[in-house]
């Protein structure tokens, strides 16, 4: 059953990678705090954090989002590891649902559930688009995988009963 | 049913040419089973391919059921080959990406016929003791099973003429006999059957006309 | 019972059963679609930004303090906030220079990185009585003109009409918000000159960098329309020579625009040439790949011939397979780049050192469709050669088994 082996490797690896990016990306590759894009620097001074007024406390939004994505991303990655360990197609189907729904949650957290600081802060121009892209791709990928697994299970049942 | 007259085919080899077929004539009626043998290079495959319409002859005529089929356009001869000739080419000819049943039904689907004759296909497979293979892919089948699939495919359209190029060449005695038995049965059913075989495998006890080819001629 | 297999279903079956090969071919097309569409979107966005800039920089010349020419350019093109000032009496005398048809002062203040301001922006004050640069397109937004003391904010500033924003410790009501321009105006705040001088006084009181001693009569830039027929170089000499002791500089927006346009034209030229080259290369590679795979499969195609498939059936099968693979690749590549383009639009605009503006929806749709179409056709075009030859190859393949 070479097909299952390949499917296991590809989907599992994609989930682990996607989950890791969602979890740790906001703290590394697409950081939430780099300040505004450097092109709004005044006289070349580097900006450390967002200018905010005491009433809005706006700079915490990105931090909350990033913390939530850390948790969700780790869950996705762990589900990916489980996908690599199991070979049962029904288990794979269930895990795919888990990965897909978690990806949707990651998308919702960074957009509507918590959100990000307003533009042109880095988390709005970089972190949010990056998370949207990764979670959208993960969701689409698991959707295709669910369709594929469902058909494979149906065919195996048909052949077994033939 | 099949009438071959004065068929000649020459091939170029370097500066010279040689006759793969040299003025070959042959008649085969419905219900007749003929086996052509001869060593490699004697022109057996060339003869079959010209009769099947895959290769043009340099001269001569092939008639199938009274109609001349040499010199026809590709579309026409292809349709005749599809509907009236069951051709089993040399070697493996089962398509890897289709199941056994789909392979057998394929000739009927080529011209948009939605009815692939699946019931008849299954009964053919059943007759060969291979009904359980219907939904398998060729990769899972043995050589003998694959050959039976290609025979079933050739028989599906109840063709007037069945031609097979070396159908038993890579089969054991048991499978060879089974395949030749299928051809004999098809002949009994009214088809004209022409088989090329360079060995005697499977021909014990089979009632058939024996022909010999050598140097491009029937001897 | 087996459902009938049409040619399309057989093509799909061939693709899915040989998915490694299909994935590779489709991946190549996806990459082509990604780069083609992405390059085209970038080019059209740069073009759109330049057109926007040309429409908005309405003055023939800008007079600025000497040494601040680049700062003025930076503020206008890239939204790099700056603060620089001409002394009051200097501004007065400059407006008398020979060759001037119209003149109007503008005041630039960079807002501060502190709790005193809600965002880092360029404050621009204009004189409603004499201005001829900002008013024309501001009036499209506010038919009654800008109410005194209120502000108009650029598209990238977080705020809505009616909202109050804090600059230099003072609240200003937002009268309107500009559409995206792809230039410095997107992070600018516009107000009347008098209000901007109040803001400047606040700026001075907070110890802002490069501040003048006080705000009265101060201007940063004089926007000038040169008299019809008067030589702009002569005008520049008049200013530079007449005020050589005080030190002023002249910036010509049209030169700025043509420099940007010139650079852009080269960039566009190179980009288009590279994309054409990429397409031709991809077509060549795919032609070879299809030729190789069709040759590999000649026995398989020969079986179809043996079963009575006419040559054109095989050609259609090959073209259908190549179209399906191409379509999948084109869809994936185009969808991906479209997602990236829209998601990272702000980041790209902020990172590029040139006016960058997403073109109108219709233009964007056309560019994306064009990129998709060019990628879609490449598969069938590349397979056409093999599709034409297959009849003969297949026939010989089925005849020559074992020889």
């Amino acid at each position: 059953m070479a097909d299952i082996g390949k499917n296991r490797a590809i989907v599992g690896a994609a989930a682990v990678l996607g989950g890791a990016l969602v979890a740790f990306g906001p703290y590394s590759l697409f950081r939430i705090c780099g300040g505004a894009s450097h092109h709004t620097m005044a006289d070349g001074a580097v900006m450390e954090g967002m200018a905010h007024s005491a009433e809005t406390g706006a700079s915490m939004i990105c931090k909350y989002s990033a913390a939530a994505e850390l948790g969700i991303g780790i869950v996705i990655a762990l589900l990916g590891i489980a996908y690599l360990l199991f070979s049962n197609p029904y288990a794979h189907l269930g895990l795919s649902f888990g990965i897909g729904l978690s990806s949707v949650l990651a998308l919702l957290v960074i957009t509507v559930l918590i959100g990000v600081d307003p533009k042109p802060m880095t988390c709005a121009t970089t972190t949010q688009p990056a998370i949207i892209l990764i979670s959208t791709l993960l969701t689409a990928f698991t959707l295709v995988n669910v369709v594929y697994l469902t058909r494979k299970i149906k065919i195996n049942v048909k052949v077994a009963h033939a | 049913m099949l009438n071959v007259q004065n068929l000649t085919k020459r091939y170029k080899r370097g500066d010279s040419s040689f006759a793969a077929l040299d003025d070959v004539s042959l008649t085969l009626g419905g219900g007749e089973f003929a086996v052509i043998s001869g060593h490699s290079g004697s022109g057996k495959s060339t003869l079959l391919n010209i009769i099947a319409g895959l290769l043009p002859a340099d001269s001569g005529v092939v008639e199938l059921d009274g109609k001349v089929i040499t010199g026809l356009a590709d579309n026409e001869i292809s349709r005749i080959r599809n509907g009236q000739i069951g051709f089993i080419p040399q070697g493996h000819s089962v398509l890897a990406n289709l199941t056994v049943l789909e392979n057998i039904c394929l000739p009927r689907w080529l011209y948009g016929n939605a009815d692939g004759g699946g019931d008849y296909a299954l009964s053919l497979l059943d007759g060969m003791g291979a009904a359980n293979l219907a939904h398998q892919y060729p990769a899972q089948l043995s050589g003998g099973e694959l050959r039976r699939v290609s025979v079933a495919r050739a028989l599906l359209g109840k063709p007037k003429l069945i031609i097979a190029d070396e159908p038993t060449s890579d089969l054991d005695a048991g499978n060879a006999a089974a395949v030749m038995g299928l051809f004999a049965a098809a002949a009994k059913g009214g088809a004209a059957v022409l088989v090329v075989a360079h060995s005697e495998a499977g021909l014990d006890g089979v009632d058939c006309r024996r022909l010999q080819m050598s140097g491009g001629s029937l001897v | 019972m087996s459902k009938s297999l049409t040619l399309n279903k057989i093509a799909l079956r061939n693709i899915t059963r040989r998915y490694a090969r299909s994935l590779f071919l489709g991946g190549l097309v996806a990459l082509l679609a990604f780069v083609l569409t992405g390059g085209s979107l970038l080019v059209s966005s740069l073009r759109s930004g330049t057109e926007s800039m040309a429409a908005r920089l309405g003055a023939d010349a800008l007079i600025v303090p000497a040494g601040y020419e680049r700062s003025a350019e930076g503020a206008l093109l890239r939204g790099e906030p700056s603060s620089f000032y001409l002394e009051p009496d200097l501004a007065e005398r400059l407006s008398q220079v020979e060759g001037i048809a119209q003149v109007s002062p503008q005041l630039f203040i960079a807002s501060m990185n502190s709790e005193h301001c809600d965002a880092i922006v360029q404050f621009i004050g204009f004189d409603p009585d004499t201005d001829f640069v900002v008013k024309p397109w501001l009036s499209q937004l506010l038919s009654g003109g800008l109410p005194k003391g209120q502000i108009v904010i650029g598209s990238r500033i977080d705020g809505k009409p009616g909202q109050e924003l804090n600059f230099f410790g003072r609240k200003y009501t937002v009268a309107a918000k500009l559409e995206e321009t792809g230039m410095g105006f997107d992070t600018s705040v516009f107000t009347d000159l008098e209000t901007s001088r109040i803001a400047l006084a606040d700026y001075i009181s907070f110890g802002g960098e490069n501040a003048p001693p006080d705000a009265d009569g101060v201007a940063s830039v004089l926007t000038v329309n040169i008299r019809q027929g008067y030589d702009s170089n002569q005008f520049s000499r008049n200013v530079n020579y007449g005020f050589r002791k005080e030190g002023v500089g002249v910036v010509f927006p049209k030169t700025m625009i043509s420099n940007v346009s010139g650079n852009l034209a080269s960039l566009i030229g190179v980009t288009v040439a590279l994309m054409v080259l990429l397409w031709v290369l991809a077509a060549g590679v795919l032609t070879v790949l299809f030729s190789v795979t069709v040759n590999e499969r000649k026995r398989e195609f020969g079986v179809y011939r043996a079963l009575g498939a006419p040559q054109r059936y095989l050609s259609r099968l090959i073209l259908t397979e190549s179209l399906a693979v191409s379509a999948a690749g084109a869809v994936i590549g185009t969808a991906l780049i479209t997602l990236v383009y829209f998601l990272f639009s702000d980041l790209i605009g902020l990172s590029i050192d040139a006016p960058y503006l997403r073109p109108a929806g219709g233009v964007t749709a056309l560019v994306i469709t064009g990129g998709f179409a060019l990628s879609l056709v490449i598969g069938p075009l590349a397979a056409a050669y093999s599709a034409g030859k297959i009849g003969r190859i297949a026939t010989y393949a089925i005849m020559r088994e074992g020889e």
Side-chain angles (χ1 to χ4, degrees):
Chain A
M1 293 288 233
D3 277 355
I4 287 189
K6 270 184 215 155
N7 173 270
R8 206 159 96 182
I10 293 170
V11 176
V16 170
L17 180 66
L21 284 172
V22 166
F24 303 111
Y27 298 104
S28 54
L29 287 171
F30 28 91
R31 303 170 62 88
I32 50 168
C33 280
S37 160
H38 63 275
H39 279 289
T40 56
M41 286 185 274
D43 293 1
V46 177
M47 208 172 105
E48 289 295 318
M50 185 199 159
H52 66 281
S53 58
E55 309 97 68
T56 64
S59 65
M60 294 311 288
I61 298 177
C62 272
K63 291 204 170 87
Y64 290 140
S65 272
E69 298 291 2
L70 177 69
I72 297 169
I74 288 174
V75 164
I76 294 174
L78 288 174
L79 289 172
I81 291 173
Y83 202 100
L84 287 168
L85 294 174
F86 286 99
S87 57
N88 183 304
Y90 288 101
H92 281 172
L93 194 60
L95 287 167
S96 293
F97 275 112
I99 294 167
L101 291 172
S102 303
S103 306
V104 171
L105 183 60
L107 176 66
L108 291 174
V109 158
I110 203 75
T111 50
V112 296
L113 292 179
I114 303 179
V116 291
D117 293 325
K119 299 176 194 178
M121 303 311 297
T122 318
C123 65
T125 59
T126 314
T127 315
Q128 187 187 53
I131 299 280
I132 291 175
L133 184 66
I134 296 164
S135 55
T136 305
L137 289 176
L138 261 177
T139 307
F141 189 67
T142 47
L143 199 68
V144 168
N145 193 45
V146 163
V147 170
Y148 168 79
L149 286 172
T150 311
R151 286 181 64 195
K152 257 241 144 17
I153 288 170
K154 253 198 231 161
I155 290 174
N156 286 344
V157 165
K158 193 158 81 166
V159 167
H161 287 168
Chain B
M1 184 62 64
L2 175 68
N3 189 10
V4 176
Q5 287 175 24
N6 310 111
L7 224 49
T8 300
K9 179 72 181 176
R10 301 191 74 83
Y11 285 121
K12 277 204 179 56
R13 192 183 274 158
D15 286 334
S16 60
S17 68
F18 73 98
L21 285 183
D22 190 8
D23 200 32
V24 171
S25 293
L26 158 72
T27 308
L28 198 64
E32 273 199 75
F33 180 8
V35 175
I36 304 179
S37 28
H39 44 84
S40 181
S42 57
K44 314 184 295 295
S45 288
T46 306
L47 176 64
L48 284 198
N49 286 319
I50 291 176
I51 292 172
L54 285 171
L55 196 63
D58 289 335
S59 63
V61 163
V62 175
E63 273 180 22
L64 179 65
D65 203 17
K67 181 180 160 100
V68 172
I69 60 173
T70 32
L72 290 180
D74 178 67
N75 289 347
E76 286 180 84
I77 186 61
S78 296
R79 220 180 230 278
I80 289 171
R81 189 163 59 246
N82 176 261
Q84 298 178 45
I85 303 176
F87 183 31
I88 301 160
Q90 213 177 38
H92 287 300
S93 63
V94 180
L95 296 170
N97 295 335
L98 304 183
T99 62
V100 161
L101 194 59
E102 287 166 347
N103 262 287
I104 295 171
C105 298
L106 180 63
R108 287 177 66 92
W109 289 330
L110 286 178
Y111 286 89
N113 189 345
D115 173 19
D119 288 336
Y120 184 50
L122 275 172
S123 73
L124 282 170
L125 272 178
D126 200 29
M128 297 175 195
N132 59 314
L133 302 177
H135 299 291
Q136 307 281 354
Y137 280 91
Q140 294 151 322
L141 269 57
S142 69
E145 288 167 334
L146 286 172
R147 194 53 49 73
R148 273 182 269 178
V149 171
S150 42
V151 171
R153 184 177 61 197
L155 296 177
L156 183 79
K158 296 181 181 134
K160 294 174 184 164
L161 173 67
I162 297 168
I163 44 184
D165 198 346
E166 307 274 9
T168 56
S169 61
D170 47 0
L171 298 182
D172 58 43
N175 280 313
V179 169
M180 286 303 185
L182 290 170
F183 290 133
K188 277 209 180 71
V193 180
L194 183 63
V195 170
V196 158
H198 74 260
S199 78
E200 289 294 309
L203 288 172
D204 281 343
V206 175
D207 181 21
C208 60
R209 202 167 119 201
R210 307 299 290 270
L211 300 166
Q212 188 82 12
M213 274 198 83
S214 177
S217 303
L218 272 171
V219 297
Chain C
M1 235 29 60
S2 256
K3 285 202 212 125
S4 92
L5 287 184
T6 56
L7 183 141
N8 292 341
K9 284 190 192 158
I10 292 175
L12 208 61
R13 178 75 68 86
N14 288 340
I15 291 167
T16 50
R17 294 268 308 169
R18 288 264 185 274
Y19 60 80
R21 180 177 68 202
S22 308
L23 218 63
F24 181 71
L25 289 169
L28 215 59
V29 176
L31 185 66
L32 178 72
F34 190 91
V35 174
L36 266 186
T37 311
S40 310
L41 284 171
L42 184 69
V43 160
S44 61
S45 300
L46 288 171
R47 199 176 254 147
S48 180
T50 311
E51 282 164 12
S52 164
M53 183 178 74
R56 286 173 204 280
L57 291 180
D60 290 334
L62 306 172
I63 304 176
V64 299
Y68 285 92
E69 292 89 339
R70 294 241 0 121
S71 301
E73 235 182 73
L76 290 169
L77 292 182
R78 293 179 288 276
E80 289 163 359
S82 290
S83 301
F84 47 85
Y85 305 100
L86 296 160
E87 290 160 19
D89 72 316
L90 188 60
E92 185 60 44
R93 283 158 53 213
L94 277 164
S95 24
Q96 310 302 319
V97 166
E98 191 190 319
I100 289 180
Q102 279 175 291
V103 63
S104 183
Q106 282 185 359
L107 190 60
F108 285 10
I109 317 164
S111 74
M112 308 174 77
N113 171 20
S114 67
E115 72 275 10
H116 303 299
C117 295
D118 277 342
I120 303 291
V121 299
Q122 178 79 64
F123 228 78
I124 300 179
F126 65 95
D127 183 356
D129 297 327
T130 58
D131 181 80
F132 54 89
V133 173
V134 174
K135 259 171 59 184
W137 41 268
L138 212 55
S139 64
Q140 289 168 15
L141 213 58
L142 293 164
S143 48
L146 178 61
K148 207 159 150 124
Q150 291 192 10
I151 59 175
V152 171
I153 59 174
S155 63
R156 289 219 181 102
I157 297 176
D158 188 39
K160 291 194 294 279
Q163 195 177 339
E164 280 192 335
L165 292 179
N166 171 23
F167 292 103
F168 315 110
R170 193 183 295 266
K171 290 211 183 310
Y172 296 90
T173 306
V174 178
K177 186 165 183 165
L178 290 175
E179 270 179 9
E180 203 180 346
T181 62
M183 1 167 354
F185 293 165
D186 293 337
T187 50
S188 296
V189 171
F190 296 88
T191 190
D192 58 87
L193 201 58
E194 206 179 303
T195 307
S196 67
R197 284 186 177 139
I198 295 170
L200 180 59
D202 294 333
Y203 178 76
I204 294 166
S205 72
F206 283 122
E209 281 184 25
N210 214 27
D214 66 58
D216 284 337
V218 163
S220 303
V221 150
L222 291 182
T223 59
V224 171
N225 259 352
I226 299 173
R227 223 165 54 215
Q228 185 88 329
Y230 199 92
D231 179 27
S232 49
N233 288 330
Q234 180 59 46
F235 173 76
S236 179
R237 280 195 290 272
N238 294 345
V239 170
N240 289 328
Y241 187 74
F243 296 86
R244 60 192 180 283
K245 277 214 265 296
E246 294 87 338
V248 290
V250 183
V251 176
F252 291 103
K254 284 195 173 63
T255 310
M256 214 162 51
I257 292 168
S258 68
N259 283 345
V260 170
S261 299
N263 293 341
L264 188 62
S266 315
L267 178 68
I268 290 174
V270 168
T271 308
V272 169
L274 281 173
M275 290 196 306
V276 167
L277 188 67
L278 178 72
W279 194 93
V280 168
L281 255 157
V285 167
L286 282 169
T287 303
V288 169
L289 280 174
F290 276 119
S291 200
V292 166
T293 53
V294 162
N295 204 51
E296 249 176 39
R297 296 168 65 192
K298 61 186 179 204
R299 173 80 191 166
E300 174 192 336
F301 292 123
V303 170
Y304 284 93
R305 290 287 286 149
L307 299 180
Q311 292 184 8
R312 66 160 190 269
Y313 183 93
L314 296 183
S315 304
R316 274 179 50 214
L317 186 62
I318 291 171
L319 287 173
T320 305
E321 286 180 19
S322 66
L323 182 66
V325 165
S326 225
V331 164
I332 290 170
T334 312
L336 204 59
I337 188 63
T338 304
L339 201 60
V340 167
Y341 175 72
F342 282 103
L343 285 175
F344 291 95
S345 193
D346 290 310
L347 182 65
I348 298 168
L350 290 167
S351 312
I352 285 186
D353 215 19
Y356 179 93
L357 181 66
R358 264 212 319 252
V363 173
T364 307
L366 202 66
V367 169
I368 292 170
T369 308
F372 171 78
L374 281 170
S375 312
L376 178 71
V377 300
I378 202 173
L381 274 177
Y385 173 68
S386 307
K389 279 191 345 180
I390 188 55
R392 202 168 29 90
I393 298 174
T395 310
Y396 281 126
I398 200 68
M399 292 189 319
R400 297 187 80 83
E401 167 70 14
E403 286 184 30

